[in-house]
Amino acid sequence: MASKTVIVGSAVGLHARPAAIIAEAAEAYDDEILLTLVGGDDDEGVDAASSLMIMTLGAEKGSEVIVESDNEEAVEKIAALIE
């Protein structure tokens, strides 16, 4: 499984608008893409194709997020959006 750790660049963190953009991009892939907040309560990760689940991470600007998937291209695309 490919993974990449990135730092949230959005001033509002992964809130409504950024989460919706990420979820829309993740839906374009058939592979599951998981996001995990480093130091967060949930080590399992959330589905990147769900803006609501992304918002439950509570990731703020400067937070570290791990992007994981079997699809390396998907990891790179979603990681770039988070940064």
Side-chain angles (χ1 to χ4, degrees), residues 37-83:
L37 179 65
V38 174
D41 295 334
D42 187 5
D43 292 336
E44 303 255 336
V46 299
D47 184 3
S50 168
S51 58
L52 182 59
M53 293 305 293
I54 293 170
M55 289 188 293
T56 66
L57 288 174
E60 299 177 356
K61 181 175 176 63
S63 296
E64 285 185 297
V65 175
I66 301 168
V67 183
E68 296 178 292
S69 178
D70 287 333
N71 184 329
E72 281 191 54
E73 178 187 327
V75 169
E76 292 299 323
K77 173 71 173 181
I78 301 304
L81 289 172
I82 293 171
E83 289 179 311

Side-chain angles (χ1 to χ4, degrees), residues 6-58:
V6 294
I7 296 178
V8 176
S10 172
V12 296
L14 297 185
H15 198 53
R17 172 67 92 197
I21 292 168
I22 292 165
E24 184 177 344
E27 287 175 0
Y29 295 96
D30 291 331
D31 300 284
E32 181 178 49
I33 306 166
L34 297 175
L35 303 180
T36 307
L37 179 65
V38 174
D41 295 334
D42 187 5
D43 292 336
E44 303 255 336
V46 299
D47 184 3
S50 168
S51 58
L52 182 59
M53 293 305 293
I54 293 170
M55 289 188 293
T56 66
L57 288 174

